[in-house]
Amino acid sequence: QNEPFENVSDSENTEEILEQMENPNVEQQTNDKKEILEALIQASHLEFLSAEESARILNHPHNFVLLNFVMKNSDSTPIRVVSNSSNHQVNAAGSLNASLVQGPQLLGDILDILISISLSPFMTAMDLSKAYRSVFTNDQSNNLRLFCYWDNVNDPNEVSLIGKFTRMNFGDSPSASLLEIILRFIVADKCKTDLARTMLQRFRYVD
């Protein structure tokens, strides 16, 4: 189990990047981050812990990951919240992802998919919104993806908040295999037509 203090440097790096941007608006970026975190809390994608719950969890096996804010040129998602489970901890053996089983390569064969498209009279294009975040994870997994958050890393008197992810994340190494298993064997089983089931199980390309 590692300690949370490495997250400070990551937060400081984020502030430095914002300050180096052309015509930066650090205050606006900070407000955007708060709004996005609040939206994720409302959607039950993550949660912040009370002092009592933090003390309880920190007395049991746990792990801290880095919380990153990726800025995008997008109107719908200008800042995306991601975690880095591959971050190597100073006081721990490797990273969280290094200790996880990634699982087999389950994505469909691209050649089979291209051939199926050429033999079919039509094709469909769709997007599963926040696909990884649609999968809930249990407390044991969530306690291995704790993170710290500071509104102002330059304030030495500010006490950090401890949060945890409650859904599967893109940065977790088993995510791709687990999502593929769920789509093939759980979602496909609930398809109303054989065509939809076959397309989901065999002829689906994931970018």
Side-chain angles (χ1 to χ4, degrees):
Q1 56 193 42
N2 64 310
E3 297 304 324
F5 304 111
E6 293 180 6
N7 293 267
V8 176
S9 61
D10 185 66
S11 298
E12 290 174 341
N13 290 338
T14 301
E15 297 297 335
E16 290 176 2
I17 292 173
L18 292 175
E19 292 173 356
Q20 294 170 3
M21 292 173 59
E22 183 178 359
N23 297 322
N25 189 336
V26 177
E27 183 178 355
Q28 181 61 47
Q29 295 284 358
T30 301
N31 291 335
D32 288 344
K33 289 193 294 185
K34 292 179 180 179
E35 290 179 4
I36 291 173
L37 285 176
E38 183 61 33
L40 293 176
I41 292 172
Q42 294 297 323
S44 299
H45 289 186
L46 59 83
E47 62 184 39
F48 285 104
L49 309 180
S50 65
E52 293 77 11
E53 188 174 10
S54 296
R56 179 182 60 81
I57 290 177
L58 295 180
N59 282 324
H60 293 82
H62 63 277
N63 180 73
F64 281 86
V65 299
L66 292 180
L67 180 70
N68 297 320
F69 295 87
V70 179
M71 285 167 283
K72 300 173 57 183
N73 186 18
S74 169
D75 293 333
S76 60
T77 313
I79 300 178
R80 174 171 292 180
V81 178
V82 298
S83 64
N84 183 4
S85 296
S86 294
N87 178 62
H88 286 263
Q89 311 293 345
V90 175
N91 298 321
S95 65
L96 175 60
N97 276 345
S99 302
L100 297 175
V101 178
Q102 182 172 344
Q105 169 58 265
L106 297 176
L107 298 180
D109 182 79
I110 184 62
L111 181 59
D112 287 345
I113 295 171
L114 290 175
I115 292 175
S116 71
I117 292 175
S118 65
L119 296 176
S120 303
F122 59 87
M123 64 174 292
T124 60
M126 61 191 72
D127 178 55
L128 180 59
S129 178
K130 297 180 177 59
Y132 291 110
R133 295 280 177 83
S134 65
V135 181
F136 285 90
T137 49
N138 61 21
D139 286 339
Q140 187 176 18
S141 297
N142 299 341
N143 292 344
L144 297 178
R145 294 176 300 159
L146 303 176
F147 62 87
C148 288
Y149 179 76
W150 292 262
D151 282 335
N152 181 6
V153 295
N154 296 316
D155 183 359
N157 297 317
E158 182 176 1
V159 178
S160 67
L161 297 173
I162 295 180
K164 64 179 180 180
F165 290 98
T166 56
R167 306 286 187 98
M168 192 165 68
N169 280 325
F170 176 79
D172 302 337
S173 59
S175 294
S177 295
L178 291 174
L179 181 61
E180 195 68 20
I181 291 171
I182 291 170
L183 291 174
R184 288 190 188 187
F185 300 105
I186 298 179
V187 177
D189 187 57
K190 298 184 180 300
C191 288
K192 296 182 179 180
T193 65
D194 291 336
L195 176 60
R197 184 179 302 107
T198 300
M199 291 178 63
L200 187 58
Q201 292 178 329
R202 296 186 55 193
F203 304 129
R204 174 175 43 84
Y205 173 68
V206 180
D207 62 7

